[in-house]
Amino acid sequence: MNKPFSQIRQSETSRSVDEITRGRRLRRMRKADWSRRLVQENRLTVDDLIWPIFLCEGENYSETITAMPGVERYSVDRAVRQAKKAAKLGIPAIAPFPRENADFKDLTGSHVASPDNLINRFVRAVKKEVPEIGVITDAALDPFTTHGHDGILRDGIIVNDESVEMIVRGALSQAEAGADIIAPSDMMDGRIGAIREALDSNGFQDVAIMSYATKFASAFYGPYREAIGTSGLLKGDKKTYYIDPANSDEAIREAEQDLLEGADMIMVKPGLPYLDIARRLKDTFAMPTYVYQVSGEYSMIKAAAANGWIDGDKVMMESLLAFKRAGCDGILTYFAIEVAEKLGQK
């Protein structure tokens, strides 16, 4: 019986490569399409996809996002039609992000708690028209603050506990609108436990929490910030509450804390530069683990494809398969519609 290479004795190393590898030809199963499919270790399916969608005010209206070719902001009615399309393609869930008008922004992001904000209006509409699709909402404050931060800014500092109180109010308003999963992206300490307690106390025990447990202070978010209108922070940056990209152990501690506080799922953001984090989280906790292929990743692929430097479709599919290989159970990606259509053609 052939021994694995790890058990080959030192004395055998002098033998020829042909002698050592005889019977161990790994290329055998790569020779044909059918055999490659037979031994494929990871597969990407439509069930792995979550589609982030951008919202804007208006009626029967949409607008392009310059930094994200192929992505648009939709008025609520058009966004509902897009949700119907996603559901028909078999995409399990959709994640709305709003570009709120300046009139609805303030220093504390209080509009996050309004039943009439863009997210909540969309959730109510989509739950009425497309009840079969899941809706995942973010209770972070950045779309609703005049300064663009994810928390409340006091004297140049993002104040944690006061921010958590407002985030909890936002989470409750989203649950009341019909959100299935609350996914807070703000990275404030203690917000998962506070949200869980508030949901349970108000009769929303079945609303799950997907924690942005490891959200890094990344340079890959630029196009997204253009999309929701927070590209110019009035003061400072987000390094005091997002994780340093250099830190891996800290990310594990963050995820552990959120799980202990009641998170049902954890997320890594961004995606491809942080595959090691996804793998560590899955191996450490064996919990449902998701990844957000962020706007910068999307836009780089689109830009390179537009210039003819790469095959856009192949790189798109390869990038998503990499997340599955790293242990992710699902992927938030702006490619979701394209990928679902492509998978449906097979």
Side-chain angles (χ1 to χ4, degrees):
M1 186 170 68
N2 292 320
K3 293 182 290 185
F5 281 105
S6 60
Q7 296 179 17
I8 294 176
R9 296 190 304 273
Q10 185 67 31
S11 61
E12 291 180 298
T13 59
S14 61
R15 294 164 58 195
S16 70
V17 171
D18 185 62
E19 288 177 308
I20 294 173
T21 61
R22 188 176 297 131
R24 298 188 179 95
R25 297 289 184 177
L26 298 179
R27 288 181 56 194
R28 286 194 187 101
M29 297 307 294
R30 301 174 193 160
K31 67 180 181 180
D33 177 69
W34 68 264
S35 59
R36 290 191 295 272
R37 288 188 285 118
L38 199 63
V39 298
Q40 185 174 337
E41 297 175 27
N42 296 283
R43 283 181 168 79
L44 178 71
T45 75
V46 70
D47 295 334
D48 299 313
L49 304 174
I50 299 169
W51 187 31
I53 185 170
F54 294 110
L55 308 174
C56 64
E57 291 289 353
E59 186 175 346
N60 195 26
Y61 176 74
S62 63
E63 55 191 15
T64 60
I65 300 169
T66 305
M68 300 180 71
V71 176
E72 295 180 277
R73 284 183 288 263
Y74 300 100
S75 57
V76 168
D77 54 338
R78 284 200 178 186
V80 170
R81 291 201 290 272
Q82 292 299 314
K84 287 180 181 178
K85 178 179 180 180
K88 277 190 176 182
L89 288 168
I91 293 172
I94 192 167
F97 296 93
R99 184 186 179 108
E100 289 284 358
N101 286 347
D103 292 345
F104 298 122
K105 297 185 179 187
D106 60 25
L107 291 172
T108 65
S110 62
H111 196 56
V112 70
S114 170
D116 296 320
N117 67 36
L118 277 169
I119 291 178
N120 290 332
R121 281 154 47 202
F122 170 75
V123 172
R124 289 195 300 272
V126 82
K127 279 301 168 185
K128 180 180 179 181
E129 299 293 332
V130 200
E132 66 270 27
I133 200 166
V135 181
I136 303 171
T137 57
D138 182 1
L141 304 184
D142 52 324
F144 306 99
T145 57
T146 50
H147 44 72
H149 278 288
D150 298 40
I152 295 173
L153 190 65
R154 298 281 188 215
D155 299 322
I157 297 171
I158 301 299
V159 290
N160 192 92
D161 295 355
E162 191 177 346
S163 297
V164 169
E165 290 176 8
M166 186 64 73
I167 289 161
V168 168
R169 288 177 56 192
L172 280 175
S173 75
Q174 292 167 4
E176 289 166 356
D180 300 290
I181 298 174
I182 306 297
S185 69
D186 53 276
M187 293 297 290
M188 297 296 121
D189 288 334
R191 89 270 197 214
I192 299 301
I195 291 171
R196 184 71 274 162
E197 182 179 357
L199 290 173
D200 292 351
S201 299
N202 287 274
F204 298 111
Q205 295 89 344
D206 292 335
V207 174
I209 297 176
M210 175 189 285
S211 171
Y212 285 65
T214 60
K215 185 176 182 181
F216 290 85
S218 171
F220 283 88
Y221 303 141
Y224 169 88
R225 288 174 180 164
E226 177 189 321
I228 66 165
T230 62
S231 55
L233 290 177
L234 293 186
K235 189 166 187 177
D237 54 39
K238 302 192 177 187
K239 292 180 181 178
T240 65
Y241 47 103
Y242 291 179
I243 302 173
D244 188 330
N247 293 355
S248 176
D249 291 342
E250 182 183 1
I252 303 303
R253 293 194 296 271
E254 282 278 3
E256 181 179 34
Q257 178 170 307
D258 287 357
L259 289 169
L260 289 172
E261 290 181 14
D264 301 283
M265 297 160 276
I266 50 179
M267 187 202 299
V268 178
K269 185 180 180 181
L272 282 178
Y274 297 89
L275 292 178
D276 61 314
I277 305 298
R279 183 75 266 169
R280 283 193 68 184
L281 292 181
K282 191 64 175 178
D283 290 346
T284 301
F285 302 112
M287 287 292 290
T289 303
Y290 294 78
V291 67
Y292 199 139
Q293 185 181 48
V294 300
S295 58
E297 299 173 72
Y298 170 88
S299 295
M300 287 193 300
I301 292 172
K302 282 291 190 179
N307 279 282
W309 298 334
I310 60 172
D311 184 316
D313 282 352
K314 289 181 178 178
V315 171
M316 171 182 72
M317 300 302 286
E318 183 179 340
S319 67
L320 298 183
L321 190 60
F323 298 130
K324 296 295 294 180
R325 193 186 67 244
C328 295
D329 298 287
I331 307 152
L332 286 86
T333 177
Y334 303 101
F335 288 120
I337 294 292
E338 292 176 66
V339 171
E341 290 174 339
K342 194 173 182 67
L343 290 171
Q345 294 168 2
K346 288 189 176 181

